[in-house]
Amino acid sequence: EVQLVESGGGLVQPGGSLRLSCVASGLTFSSYDMKWVRQAPGKGLEWVSRISYDGGTTYYTDSVKGRFTISRDNAKNAVFLQMSSLKTEDTAIYYCATNFGHRGQGTQVTVSS
């Protein structure tokens, strides 16, 4: 059974930083591209960032470019999202996911003063 477990969310002031982590099990992690998606209150899922299976290629939605950095550690079956210069509009539940329908339970990020 594939499991993805996110952590690292919390309450942060605008301009602050958070680092999200996701640990995977039940799959050959190093063979999968991984992504982060988010769901803001009352809105649908939004794709945020993606990293290739080997970490060599990364992609970002325009609204987070220059502020968020995705990375991975295949030895630890983990993917990370470093978020800086956070804005109130970044408030959402953040999920790590594969392109094959696997998704974790999410971690809440709230950006508020």
Side-chain angles (χ1 to χ4, degrees):
E1 179 188 2
V2 175
Q3 286 194 322
L4 302 173
V5 180
E6 302 93 339
S7 61
L11 173 63
V12 64
Q13 293 186 340
S17 298
L18 281 175
R19 186 181 191 233
L20 306 184
S21 300
C22 170
V23 177
S25 61
L27 74 170
T28 306
F29 182 76
S30 59
S31 297
Y32 286 78
D33 288 9
M34 295 297 296
K35 60 186 179 182
W36 287 94
V37 299
R38 66 186 179 185
Q39 186 165 25
K43 297 189 176 180
L45 276 176
E46 176 189 24
W47 171 81
V48 176
S49 182
R50 175 178 170 178
I51 188 166
S52 60
Y53 68 98
D54 61 355
T57 308
T58 58
Y59 309 87
Y60 301 92
T61 192
D62 285 347
S63 63
V64 309
K65 282 180 182 176
R67 301 189 298 121
F68 290 11
T69 302
I70 191 170
S71 61
R72 67 190 295 159
D73 184 342
N74 284 346
K76 296 181 178 179
N77 282 10
V79 61
F80 309 98
L81 188 67
Q82 177 68 48
M83 306 186 295
S84 303
S85 303
L86 282 162
K87 305 176 180 180
T88 55
E89 53 262 44
D90 294 317
T91 294
I93 300 173
Y94 284 71
Y95 303 90
C96 68
T98 71
N99 287 328
F100 295 91
H102 310 113
R103 194 173 79 194
Q105 85 289 346
T107 186
Q108 176 72 50
V109 171
T110 302
V111 185
S112 175
S113 55

